[in-house]
Amino acid sequence: QVQLAESGGGLVQAGGSLRLSCAASGRAFSDYAMAWFRQAPGKEREFVAAISWSGSVTDYLDSVKGRFTVSRDNTKNAAYLQMNSLKPEDTAVYYCAADAAKYVLVRSVHSMDYWGKGTLVTVSS
C-alpha cells in the first residue's frame, strides 16, 4: 500500500508559477514510477507528466513541455511538479499517482496503482 498526498495548489495569475508536491508513505517509494494527471471541470482526467523510479527518464504532455518539470527525491519520498508560465487552460485538479511498473512510463490512468486526492490549481487570466 502507498498513500499519496498532494499539496501546493492555489490561485495564480496567468504567467505565474506553482510547485506541486506529492508526499508518499507506505511501501518503498523507489519501487514506483510517479505520474501527474489533471482533471478540469467536465473533462476526463489526463496525463501531464511522469518520472521513472530513478528520476532518469521523464515524459510530458506536449502542451506542458518546456513549462512544467517533474522531479522526485527518493530520500524524502516525494515527487514534485514545477509549473511555470501557467495558462488559464492549466486550471484543473492535479493528482499524483504511483505506478508499480516502475521501469516503463505509461500515460494511462488505468495503469496507475495508487492515487492522491488531488490539489486544485486555478489560473486566472
Side-chain angles (χ1 to χ4, degrees):
Q1 282 281 1
V2 174
Q3 293 77 43
L4 303 174
E6 304 91 341
S7 61
L11 174 64
V12 63
Q13 288 188 332
S17 298
L18 282 175
R19 187 192 194 211
L20 305 184
S21 299
C22 175
S25 60
R27 278 194 59 182
F29 184 62
S30 59
D31 281 348
Y32 298 88
M34 296 298 296
W36 290 91
F37 290 78
R38 66 187 180 187
Q39 188 165 18
K43 295 188 177 181
E44 293 187 351
R45 193 170 298 189
E46 69 172 352
F47 168 83
V48 175
I51 187 166
S52 63
W53 70 275
S54 64
S56 61
V57 180
T58 57
D59 185 27
Y60 295 94
L61 179 69
D62 283 349
S63 63
V64 308
K65 281 182 182 177
R67 300 189 297 122
F68 290 11
T69 302
V70 62
S71 61
R72 66 189 294 161
D73 186 340
N74 288 346
T75 66
K76 296 182 178 179
N77 289 349
Y80 308 97
L81 185 67
Q82 178 67 44
M83 305 186 295
N84 299 329
S85 301
L86 282 161
K87 303 175 180 180
E89 52 262 43
D90 294 318
T91 295
V93 177
Y94 283 71
Y95 299 88
C96 69
D99 183 1
K102 70 182 206 180
Y103 297 108
V104 179
L105 297 185
V106 295
R107 297 185 170 196
S108 172
V109 297
H110 304 294
S111 297
M112 300 298 120
D113 294 284
Y114 300 101
W115 291 89
K117 294 183 178 181
T119 185
L120 177 63
V121 172
T122 303
V123 184
S124 63
S125 57

